[in-house]
Amino acid sequence: MSTYPESFEALVRRRQSIRQFFDTPVPKEVIESVLSDAQRSPSNCNTQPWQVHIVSGEKRDELSTALLDAHDNSRPSPDFYFDMAEYPEPYVERNHAHAKARYDALGIARDDREGRAANLRRNLEFFDAPHVALLFMPQFGDGVRVAGDLGMYGQTFLLSLTARGLGGIPQTMLGLYADTVRDALKIESQFRMLYGISFGYPDRRHPINGYRVGRVPIGESVVFHE
Ligand SMILES: Cc1cc2nc3c(=O)[nH]c(=O)nc-3n(C[C@H](O)[C@H](O)[C@H](O)COP(=O)(O)O)c2cc1C
């Protein structure tokens, strides 16, 4: 199994959300190495509350069909409420900057609602990735700390993919159809779905993977106290 020796700084900056994959499957032992890396993520009081389902092959195709059906027939079933319209500034502006870069890369105009809807739907085809990891969490309390732990897990997972020449994309959109996912994979209802990560070999020549999303200066996120 090959790894890519590079500095941590370079690795973090090379990671990007991938939205077009080749359909070539990733060898099982490589997936297991990524899972083993992600398992090293920190968690509140070492609770390791992540429950991860890796879906590949025929099951992946069946799941995508079920998700598209739920989406096309307006049957969302999120475990966790999400409405981007409720975000105040400055978060809206940052979202717009990303959306603009994304749609410009694809040549989709601002008023092209159909083009945007079709692009959104690609989430449920896992952007052609051969694998998807679905991140579930046990249901108790307000779930905030457990959700934080799942975020830690996701970033380690994504960096491990990147270090191995793979790529991935975290997807809230998959969690908007939590009941559909649970039904398709026969997952017990006590586990709630936070998000998914489609992953595989990135098609780096596709324009959707050809732009990078900026970050605000650290002064907008960090306050130093001395
Ligand atoms: C928890 C989480 C959920 C996300 N959900 C989606 C999603 O459903 N669809 C999508 O295209 N991108 C999704 N993204 C990707 C973000 O748009 C992306 O991380 C952000 O624009 C920064 O770009 P970068 O990851 O390429 O650095 C998600 C990211 C995170 C962390």
Side-chain angles (χ1 to χ4, degrees):
M1 179 211 48
S2 64
T3 52
Y4 290 69
E6 63 183 326
S7 70
F8 177 74
E9 198 179 343
L11 174 67
V12 168
R13 280 159 183 72
R14 198 161 60 79
R15 185 213 59 79
Q16 68 180 103
S17 290
I18 297 296
R19 295 189 179 83
Q20 183 64 52
F21 296 86
F22 294 114
D23 60 8
T24 317
V26 178
K28 186 86 178 276
E29 60 272 21
V30 177
I31 297 179
E32 284 170 352
S33 298
V34 170
L35 292 169
S36 174
D37 287 346
Q39 201 71 359
R40 297 301 310 170
S41 303
S43 57
N44 269 285
C45 304
N46 191 36
T47 45
Q48 305 169 54
W50 38 78
Q51 282 289 314
V52 183
H53 294 257
I54 304 291
V55 188
S56 313
E58 274 176 32
K59 272 281 167 208
R60 172 238 176 262
D61 298 346
E62 285 169 25
L63 179 63
S64 176
T65 303
L67 286 168
L68 290 166
D69 183 63
H71 177 71
D72 293 342
N73 294 291
S74 303
R75 279 187 280 107
S77 52
D79 286 337
F80 299 96
Y81 177 78
F82 172 67
D83 186 353
M84 191 62 224
E86 288 185 355
Y87 277 60
E89 289 296 357
Y91 313 111
V92 177
E93 175 197 326
R94 295 173 191 171
N95 179 45
H96 285 170
H98 163 242
K100 184 175 181 337
R102 177 171 172 175
Y103 294 122
D104 282 356
L106 293 174
I108 298 173
R110 196 185 164 87
D111 57 356
D112 180 0
R113 293 173 71 117
E114 271 179 31
R116 288 187 173 221
N119 184 252
L120 193 67
R121 203 172 175 275
R122 291 281 295 145
N123 273 280
L124 307 174
E125 295 171 336
F126 313 129
F127 301 105
D128 298 337
H131 312 283
V132 59
L134 303 162
L135 277 72
F136 283 81
M137 47 190 272
Q139 182 167 8
F140 59 84
D142 68 7
V144 171
R145 280 170 222 295
V146 175
D149 294 340
L150 265 70
M152 297 269 175
Y153 184 95
Q155 172 71 333
T156 313
F157 189 100
L158 291 164
L159 289 176
S160 177
L161 289 171
T162 309
R164 293 166 198 283
L166 300 163
I169 175 162
Q171 291 169 274
T172 291
M173 179 129 180
L174 301 180
L176 301 186
Y177 301 96
D179 283 345
T180 303
V181 174
R182 266 191 297 269
D183 286 352
L185 303 176
K186 301 188 174 40
I187 295 169
E188 296 160 62
S189 60
Q190 85 224 41
F191 290 103
R192 299 193 290 173
M193 185 176 167
L194 192 58
Y195 64 106
I197 301 178
S198 295
F199 66 97
Y201 296 97
D203 180 351
R204 294 208 176 270
R205 289 204 288 196
H206 195 284
I208 192 67
N209 293 330
Y211 71 92
R212 301 307 296 268
V213 183
R215 295 295 191 268
V216 299
I218 60 170
E220 285 189 38
S221 307
V222 182
V223 179
F224 289 97
H225 300 266
E226 289 169 2

